[in-house]
Amino acid sequence: MSECDSDCLSHHLVYCLILCDYSYTYGKPVPGLVSVQVCRKFSHSASHCYRKEGEAVCEEFTRQADAHGCVSDVVRTKIFHLRRRGYKMSIEVQGKITEDGTGIVVTGTGSCEITSIMSKVSFDLLDSHYRPGIPLFGRVKLVDGNDVPIANETIRISVNGDIYKGNYTTDEQGLSWFSIDTTTFTEASLEIRAEYKPELNCYVSDWITPSHEHAMRRISRFYSPSKSFLKIEPKLEMLSCGSSAEIQVHYIFTPKVIEQQRKIIIYYLVMAKGSIMLADTYDLTVDPGNAYGIFQLILPVEATIAPLAQMLVYTTSHSGEVIASTGEFQVESCLLNKVNLSFLPKEELPASNTSLKLHSSPRSLCALRAVDRSVLLRKPENELSPSSVYNLLPLKELRGYSFKGYYLEEEDVNPCVSLDNILLNGFTYVPISPDGEGDAYEILKLIGLKVFTSNKIHKPEVCQHYTAHMMERSYSGSISASQLLDDSDYAMLKGMDAGSPMETIRKYFPETWIWDIFSVNSEGNAEWKASAFCMSPDTGFGLSPTVSLRAFQPFFVELTLPYSVVRGEAFTLKATVFNYLTACIRVRKT
C-alpha cells in the first residue's frame, strides 16, 4: 500500500511520502526485507536502445520492515520533473517483501495522481433567489486538486463586481458559511463570485501551469408585489434524532400587507418521504408599519422525517398574495427499533466458547449474520447501514411536477398584464418582466406540492405582441390515467380488473444473508463480523452496528512445505514459529 503527497505542484521543493504496509490476514505484521520502486513514466517511450531508462524516471530503496510491518521513506520529487510535460500525470509505486525464514515474496502496488489544479472553490450551498432586505445565505468549499479540504484559508466573495466584497475563512472541512446583507440590492439578478487565488496568466508549451479554479453563480430576485418576504435560514449541521431543532425564519412585511393587523398567522408544514408529516401555525405579533425580524419554529426531530425534511412556511395577505419560503434539512438516518449486539468476551482462543448478546424492542423478529472479516473486505459496499437502508426507499423527497416522463406543469390561467411604453426625454422605455424571478408557485413546485387556491401564486407576465401561432401552447391533447402507468403497472391493473391475481416472477436474486453456525478450528486465527436486523410490530425495522469477535492463537507454528517431493528424497522442512505472547513459555520440540 502506498500513498503520495497530493499537493505536488504547490512548492518548488516537494517530497513524496511512500508508505508500505504488510500484514497477515489476522492483522499481525510480516517480518521481512522490503524493496520499493517509485517511477514516473514518460508519455511516449524512447528508443528501445535505452531500455528501462527510456520508459520512466525511477527511484529505488530497500528497507527492513519495522515491528509494525511497515516501511516508509521520503523521496524528493525533483527528479520526476513534476512541472514539465512529456510525462504521465501519475507516480507509480511498486513494493515487494521477502518474508524472513520462508523466502516467500509478496508484491503490492499503488499510485498517486499529479494534478495541475492547486485549488478549487465551489458553492456547496447557495440560495436559488435573493430577497431584498433579507440576508443571502450560502456556503463555499475549498479543496485541492485531489478534493482534500484546505483549512484556515481566506476566500474572497464578491457580488456584481464591487457592490459587495467580503473575506471568509475555511474550517477544518474546507467549508465556510457566509451571509450577505441585501438591503441595498435592487438588481434583477446577482453574480456571486468566490475566489481563493488569482489565475496565472502565463503559458509555456513545455511546462505545466498551476491553476486555481474559482466559482461563479448567478441568482435572480424573488418576486413580491408588496416587497414582503419570508426566508427559512439554513441549518449548518445535520439534525439529530430525539432532539428539537430551532428553525430561524426571517421576515419582512410592508404596510401593504400588515394594514391594521396586530397579528399575522404563519402557516408551516414539514414533508418527508413524499408525505406531509407535520402541519401547524405560528402567531407572529407585529406593529403597524414596516415589520422585519426573525421568529423561531421548533421542529421535533424524529425518524419519521428522516433522511430529508422539507419545510414550507407561508402566509397570505388581504390582496391574495402568497408569501412563502422553503428549506431543507438533513436528518440523521435513525431507526426506532434500537438493536444492539455484543460478544462476551471480544477476543477468545480458537475452539473456545463465547456468548452473543442481542437486545432489541420487545416482540421483535431478528435475523443474525456472522461472517469472516474477509467477506466484508471484498465488498464493503454490501454492508447494511442505516444510510444504505434509507437509500432503498422508493421515495425520499418530492421535487417538481414530473411523473414517469410526463411533465405535469400547471398552466397559468391568469391574464397577462398590459402596460404602455413610456416616452421620456425622447427615449422610449418598454416594460419587461425579468426572467428567472422566483414566485410562490416555484416554491410549491420545488417540493412537489400541488395546491388548489384562488390566491396569487404566479408572478404576472407582461403581455407581448406575438403572432397567433407563437401564442399557441405546446400542450396538446389530454393525458389519461392509464398513460401515466408503465407496462408492468398497466398489466397489473388489467389483471386486477379481470378478477385474477397477478403472478410475480422473481428475476433478481441478490446476495442473501448467511443463516448458519460457523465453527473455528483449534489451529487457525480469524476475526468474525456479526450484525443483526430486527422487525417489530411496534417500532418497525432496526439494525445493529457490526461487532467483532477475534479468535486468536497467540502462539502457533506454521510449516512451509515444498510443492512436491520424490519418495526417498531428503528435503528441508521450514517451521515458522509465531509468538505474540507477552511472557516467556517453555516449548518442547518433537
Side-chain angles (χ1 to χ4, degrees):
M1 182 174 61
S2 63
E3 177 183 337
C4 286
D5 189 338
S6 61
D7 197 10
C8 289
L9 290 181
S10 61
H11 306 287
H12 292 289
L13 296 175
V14 292
Y15 302 89
C16 190
L17 175 63
I18 308 300
L19 300 173
C20 295
D21 181 11
Y22 296 92
S23 59
Y24 296 106
T25 55
Y26 51 87
K28 291 300 182 178
V30 178
L33 187 66
V34 179
S35 299
V36 179
Q37 184 183 61
V38 187
C39 297
R40 186 185 185 191
K41 294 182 178 180
F42 293 107
S43 299
H44 303 284
S45 298
S47 171
H48 66 278
C49 299
Y50 298 98
R51 298 182 181 179
K52 290 186 177 181
E53 292 183 2
E55 297 178 358
V57 176
C58 297
E59 184 82 356
E60 299 179 355
F61 64 89
T62 301
R63 300 280 190 279
Q64 188 71 29
D66 60 17
H68 303 286
C70 295
V71 167
S72 63
D73 199 1
V74 176
V75 178
R76 290 192 60 175
T77 56
K78 185 177 181 179
I79 66 169
F80 299 127
H81 304 290
L82 298 183
R83 297 177 181 270
R84 299 299 298 266
R85 299 185 184 275
Y87 299 85
K88 291 187 176 181
M89 296 297 286
S90 65
I91 294 178
E92 299 180 0
V93 182
Q94 183 176 11
K96 65 177 180 179
I97 184 171
T98 304
E99 186 182 18
D100 291 345
T102 64
I104 296 177
V105 177
V106 177
T107 61
T109 59
S111 65
C112 70
E113 297 298 320
I114 302 172
T115 177
S116 61
I117 301 175
M118 296 293 93
S119 65
K120 294 185 290 186
V121 181
S122 61
F123 287 105
D124 187 53
L125 291 173
L126 185 64
D127 290 344
S128 57
H129 299 86
Y130 87 94
R131 296 162 171 84
I134 289 183
L136 172 66
F137 297 99
R139 185 172 67 182
V140 289
K141 186 174 185 179
L142 177 63
V143 297
D144 63 15
N146 285 341
D147 294 330
V148 177
I150 302 177
N152 303 319
E153 293 293 336
T154 301
I155 297 178
R156 290 173 292 278
I157 296 178
S158 61
V159 179
N160 282 10
D162 58 357
I163 68 171
Y164 174 84
K165 289 184 178 180
N167 294 331
Y168 298 87
T169 303
T170 58
D171 59 16
E172 295 299 323
Q173 286 76 41
L175 300 172
S176 179
W177 281 89
F178 65 88
S179 64
I180 300 174
D181 184 8
T182 63
T183 303
T184 60
F185 294 175
T186 59
E187 290 79 3
S189 64
L190 301 177
E191 181 182 280
I192 317 295
R193 190 180 183 93
E195 293 180 322
Y196 170 51
K197 289 183 178 180
E199 290 288 345
L200 296 177
N201 295 321
C202 59
Y203 175 78
V204 180
S205 60
D206 294 333
W207 291 79
I208 299 174
T209 303
S211 64
H212 298 273
E213 297 182 355
H214 65 267
M216 193 275 287
R217 290 272 292 276
R218 181 171 291 276
I219 62 174
S220 300
R221 182 177 55 202
F222 196 87
Y223 171 78
S224 172
S226 66
K227 298 182 180 179
S228 299
F229 303 101
L230 287 170
K231 171 60 184 174
I232 300 176
E233 183 175 327
K235 297 289 288 184
L236 306 184
E237 69 283 344
M238 178 178 290
L239 306 185
S240 301
C241 287
S243 63
S244 294
E246 298 177 352
I247 308 300
Q248 308 286 340
V249 183
H250 298 251
Y251 67 90
I252 292 179
F253 294 125
T254 58
K256 186 177 180 180
V257 171
I258 298 177
E259 296 180 345
Q260 300 301 318
Q261 297 180 90
R262 293 283 183 175
K263 182 176 67 175
I264 295 179
I265 300 178
I266 306 294
Y267 303 88
Y268 66 95
L269 58 87
V270 178
M271 296 181 62
K273 307 180 187 72
S275 301
I276 298 177
M277 298 298 182
L278 173 66
D280 208 340
T281 61
Y282 177 86
D283 295 336
L284 178 64
T285 303
V286 296
D287 295 325
N290 286 318
Y292 60 90
I294 303 174
F295 65 88
Q296 190 177 93
L297 299 176
I298 303 300
L299 174 62
V301 184
E302 302 171 347
T304 54
I305 64 173
L308 181 70
Q310 299 171 298
M311 174 176 279
L312 171 71
V313 296
Y314 68 96
T315 188
T316 58
S317 68
H318 291 298
S319 64
E321 178 186 358
V322 176
I323 305 166
S325 175
T326 185
E328 295 184 351
F329 306 103
Q330 298 292 331
V331 181
E332 176 190 1
S333 298
C334 50
L335 302 170
L336 289 179
N337 194 345
K338 306 300 181 183
V339 182
N340 291 312
L341 200 64
S342 61
F343 281 106
L344 296 174
K346 295 183 179 180
E347 182 172 328
E348 269 291 0
L349 292 172
S352 61
N353 295 326
T354 187
S355 60
L356 182 62
K357 187 176 181 180
L358 174 66
H359 179 271
S360 67
S361 297
R363 299 191 300 156
S364 292
L365 179 64
C366 299
L368 177 65
R369 180 204 67 175
V371 296
D372 187 81
R373 184 182 67 163
S374 61
V375 176
L376 302 185
L377 290 177
R378 285 195 294 266
K379 287 189 176 182
E381 68 277 3
N382 289 347
E383 181 71 0
L384 269 184
S385 66
S387 297
S388 64
V389 171
Y390 273 98
N391 287 335
L392 297 175
L393 292 175
L395 182 64
K396 293 187 283 293
E397 76 271 356
L398 288 177
R399 296 192 187 277
Y401 294 150
S402 61
F403 181 74
K404 294 186 177 179
Y406 292 96
Y407 193 54
L408 307 179
E409 183 80 13
E410 290 185 10
E411 183 178 352
D412 185 6
V413 296
N414 297 317
C416 61
V417 179
S418 180
L419 298 175
D420 296 329
N421 298 343
I422 299 176
L423 181 63
L424 181 64
N425 297 330
F427 294 94
T428 301
Y429 295 87
V430 180
I432 62 171
S433 179
D435 294 332
E437 283 192 326
D439 55 16
Y441 177 75
E442 292 295 327
I443 291 289
L444 299 169
K445 177 183 173 183
L446 182 64
I447 59 175
L449 192 63
K450 284 282 188 178
V451 296
F452 300 90
T453 179
S454 59
N455 286 321
K456 301 173 183 177
I457 61 175
H458 287 276
K459 169 193 168 185
E461 296 293 334
V462 177
C463 295
Q464 304 290 340
H465 300 288
Y466 295 117
T467 58
H469 74 276
M470 296 180 64
M471 293 294 292
E472 292 178 358
R473 294 281 181 177
S474 59
Y475 309 108
S476 61
S478 60
I479 301 175
S480 63
S482 61
Q483 287 180 284
L484 299 180
L485 302 175
D486 56 27
D487 295 339
S488 59
D489 294 333
Y490 185 75
M492 182 176 296
L493 181 63
K494 186 176 179 181
M496 293 172 61
D497 292 339
S500 58
M502 283 295 298
E503 180 182 357
T504 303
I505 301 176
R506 283 191 61 190
K507 297 180 180 179
Y508 174 60
F509 295 90
E511 290 190 7
T512 58
W513 294 77
I514 300 175
W515 305 79
D516 206 345
I517 299 175
F518 289 84
S519 61
V520 182
N521 58 41
S522 59
E523 298 178 357
N525 296 312
E527 183 174 352
W528 301 96
K529 297 286 187 178
S531 63
F533 71 87
C534 299
M535 294 293 294
S536 166
D538 302 319
T539 57
F541 184 83
L543 180 67
S544 76
T546 301
V547 296
S548 299
L549 171 65
R550 190 181 182 202
F552 183 66
Q553 181 78 23
F555 183 89
F556 62 95
V557 178
E558 187 177 86
L559 301 178
T560 303
L561 301 173
Y563 177 76
S564 65
V565 294
V566 179
R567 180 176 296 178
E569 175 189 1
F571 65 94
T572 302
L573 177 62
K574 293 183 179 180
T576 304
V577 179
F578 294 86
N579 183 12
Y580 301 106
L581 296 172
T582 57
C584 296
I585 61 173
R586 185 181 297 275
V587 179
R588 184 178 65 180
K589 182 178 66 173
T590 58

